[in-house]
Amino acid sequence: EKHVVEDGEVPYVVQILWEVMCEARDDNSEKHVVEDGEVPYVVQILWEVMCEARDDNSEKHVVEDESSLGGTVFSPPLYKQRYNVVCDLVKRMTARKVVDIGCANGKLLWHLKHIDCIEELAGVDIDVAQLESNNSFLQPLTTDYLMPRQRPLNIHLFEGSIAEADARLFDSDVVCFVEVIEHLYADVLDLVPHTLFGQLQPKIVIITTPNSEFNVLFPNFGKFRHWDHKFEWTREEFRSWADKVAKQFNYSVEYSGVGEGPAGSLETLGWCTQIAVFTRLHLDSVRTKCVEENMQPYRHIKQISHPHVLASSQSKAQQLLHELEYYCCLLTEIDSEMEPVEEDRGKLVYLVNIPLERLMKFKNVMALCKDTDELRRQIRETEQFQLSPDGQNVVYRHTVVDRHWWDDEDNHSQNEQTSGMYIPTETSETWD
């Protein structure tokens, strides 16, 4: 059973792996047929499950888990709620350049790399050991090559401190500062506003930090939620710091949070994690670069590039034709009862109906057509593909090789070549 999985076998292999995982977990709610458009996402789930099962620290993300403090149980886990807020914000503003400061072992980067609008992703941390040993899951998967992104994605990992500004991070769309400031010593924290807002000048900054008022709900609570925390702010302390920074560097700021406690606690204690989103005022104005181009104190640890469609070499219509040809071929299943519409010298041509709705499940097709109506319109403008009479299917001409014809042809050719020739048989052979 150990063989190289061919490209066309990927959906079937994923289906088998999914079913095996579900059986192992004994979860009937997850036993369903994996649709073709779901393959990349199922692969991601399988990858996470595998990493958890292996208990491999090089691939397994360790987070600050408030559940260890007892009391309130968060579902989904609090760190995932924080990541969801960041990812939703990035998608909402279609950010192209995103930076995660204090990225540690890169789990937030892993979530961000699956957002299609991002083209440049940077992770910064002072712990070079984590940067070097925990980036394997940021590498492209096999499915990334089978279903490449529409846009390029380059991930850069840097060893550095937020106490210094690096010109390569200037004017980013979003900078993430997730559960980091509480780990900073006072002298470094004092430098953050000038470095981050004054020199790097990102369009959006999102900062999350523990809300110390919520700590009374943790029965196993000590001084801080984590041994490395240098402080934990109340809501008033956090807002006082953030308001001052926003006013000084010409940003607006909005507050929210994640991790709701028991009924009635939100009004009195607030969220478990408090969040501030800073937005640079006058986003369209030209920025004066406050950091010299040669100011690059961070050490570049690694660059990871993901495969993508070279949009510059093809028009949108050409890209769509390429994607349709690939996915129609992938989805084609020839029934034993189907009759070919053409037979020509060892080639059989079948007409196969591929539903437009099924094609629209693939992200590469979705990136080129906003809906089924646009896909239908573009197909009508091509000569390569035809629509069914009701307009709901692509009528795909699928050509296969008739092996029987070639077998007969080979035999016929062999007979022609050996005609009139003496072919020794086993009985006629002699060594005398």
Side-chain angles (χ1 to χ4, degrees):
E1 295 178 351
K2 293 183 179 179
H3 74 285
V4 177
V5 178
E6 300 292 339
D7 294 352
E9 297 176 320
V10 169
Y12 309 103
V13 172
V14 169
Q15 177 68 48
I16 293 170
L17 292 172
W18 178 261
E19 291 177 357
V20 169
M21 185 198 73
C22 293
E23 288 177 6
R25 296 173 62 180
D26 194 24
D27 188 347
N28 291 325
S29 64
E30 295 179 338
K31 293 182 180 179
H32 75 285
V33 176
V34 178
E35 297 292 339
D36 298 287
E38 297 175 322
V39 167
Y41 311 105
V42 173
V43 168
Q44 292 166 18
I45 295 171
L46 292 170
W47 178 262
E48 286 190 309
V49 171
M50 182 199 73
C51 293
E52 291 176 3
R54 290 174 60 183
D55 195 22
D56 186 345
N57 288 331
S58 67
E59 294 171 335
K60 185 177 179 182
H61 179 53
V62 179
V63 297
E64 296 178 21
D65 187 4
E66 281 82 357
S67 63
S68 63
L69 302 173
T72 302
V73 176
F74 301 102
S75 180
L78 201 56
Y79 79 92
K80 286 191 176 181
Q81 294 187 43
R82 291 190 284 257
Y83 291 172
N84 289 340
V85 170
V86 173
C87 292
D88 288 345
L89 176 64
V90 168
K91 293 175 185 176
R92 199 161 57 244
M93 72 166 298
T94 60
R96 185 191 65 84
K97 182 178 180 181
V98 179
V99 179
D100 181 18
I101 296 178
C103 65
N105 43 22
K107 191 62 174 182
L108 177 56
L109 293 175
W110 184 87
H111 283 78
L112 289 169
K113 81 165 192 167
H114 297 103
I115 300 178
D116 291 335
C117 61
I118 297 178
E119 297 183 11
E120 188 174 352
L121 191 56
V124 181
D125 204 277
I126 59 173
D127 190 342
V128 66
Q130 289 206 74
L131 292 173
E132 290 178 337
S133 63
N134 292 305
N135 58 61
S136 59
F137 55 84
L138 297 176
Q139 299 287 345
L141 298 175
T142 302
T143 51
D144 293 319
Y145 290 95
L146 296 175
M147 303 176 65
R149 296 166 52 95
Q150 289 296 312
R151 302 179 182 181
L153 172 63
N154 292 304
I155 303 175
H156 297 272
L157 300 179
F158 296 99
E159 177 195 7
S161 168
I162 187 56
E164 298 178 287
D166 191 296
R168 289 167 289 189
L169 307 185
F170 176 75
D171 201 26
S172 299
D173 294 314
V174 176
V175 168
C176 312
F177 219 44
V178 177
E179 305 298 286
V180 174
I181 59 173
E182 63 272 11
H183 292 268
L184 304 180
Y185 287 103
D187 57 338
V188 177
L189 180 62
D190 290 341
L191 296 173
V192 168
H194 175 67
T195 301
L196 181 55
F197 296 91
Q199 292 182 291
L200 298 182
Q201 303 177 19
K203 295 181 176 68
I204 301 286
V205 177
I206 180 166
I207 298 179
T208 79
T209 190
N211 168 23
S212 64
E213 297 171 72
F214 196 93
N215 293 341
V216 298
L217 298 176
F218 297 128
N220 301 329
F221 181 73
K223 183 179 180 181
F224 295 127
R225 296 187 195 177
H226 189 269
W227 64 268
D228 189 53
H229 287 186
K230 308 304 185 290
F231 61 88
E232 290 178 1
W233 278 333
T234 64
R235 287 174 291 173
E236 182 179 352
E237 289 170 331
F238 183 44
R239 292 191 178 206
S240 175
W241 179 86
D243 286 342
K244 181 180 178 181
V245 169
K247 183 177 180 181
Q248 180 179 357
F249 295 98
N250 207 25
Y251 280 75
S252 64
V253 59
E254 296 181 355
Y255 301 98
S256 61
V258 294
E260 188 173 352
S265 65
L266 187 60
E267 294 76 14
T268 57
L269 301 177
W271 302 95
C272 184
T273 293
Q274 47 189 339
I275 300 174
V277 177
F278 298 80
T279 304
R280 195 179 72 200
L281 300 178
H282 313 298
L283 288 176
D284 297 331
S285 62
V286 178
R287 310 302 296 170
T288 302
K289 200 164 188 176
C290 298
V291 53
E292 297 296 330
E293 197 66 43
N294 61 355
M295 289 182 60
Q296 299 184 2
Y298 295 171
R299 183 162 73 96
H300 189 252
I301 302 299
K302 194 175 186 66
Q303 175 177 340
I304 302 168
S305 298
H306 281 245
H308 66 283
V309 176
L310 297 176
S312 59
S313 63
Q314 292 182 318
S315 68
K316 185 176 179 180
Q318 289 173 325
Q319 291 180 56
L320 180 61
L321 290 176
H322 173 78
E323 298 297 339
L324 288 178
E325 179 67 35
Y326 174 78
Y327 290 119
C328 284
C329 182
L330 183 66
L331 297 175
T332 294
E333 296 179 2
I334 302 299
D335 193 298
S336 59
E337 298 181 358
M338 292 179 63
E339 294 292 335
V341 295
E342 293 180 20
E343 297 184 35
D344 180 26
R345 294 190 58 80
K347 293 182 179 180
L348 305 178
V349 179
Y350 295 86
L351 296 183
V352 183
N353 285 331
I354 308 294
L356 298 185
E357 290 186 357
R358 197 172 185 191
L359 290 169
M360 284 300 296
K361 290 183 179 181
F362 294 99
K363 65 177 184 180
N364 285 359
V365 178
M366 292 173 60
L368 297 167
C369 297
K370 63 181 179 180
D371 53 32
T372 306
D373 289 337
E374 183 179 353
L375 176 60
R376 185 181 295 109
R377 178 181 59 77
Q378 294 206 41
I379 291 174
R380 285 194 174 118
E381 294 175 357
T382 71
E383 297 180 357
Q384 185 172 338
F385 293 94
Q386 301 295 324
L387 290 171
S388 60
D390 61 2
Q392 301 301 313
N393 304 281
V394 172
V395 181
Y396 178 62
R397 291 175 59 86
H398 185 68
T399 303
V400 298
V401 174
D402 184 358
R403 295 181 180 177
H404 298 294
W405 186 91
W406 285 105
D407 289 342
D408 293 340
E409 184 70 10
D410 289 343
N411 292 334
H412 179 67
S413 298
Q414 185 175 1
N415 290 336
E416 287 183 342
Q417 293 172 7
T418 59
S419 177
M421 294 178 58
Y422 169 71
I423 302 178
T425 63
E426 190 173 342
T427 56
S428 65
E429 186 174 355
T430 176
W431 293 97
D432 294 336

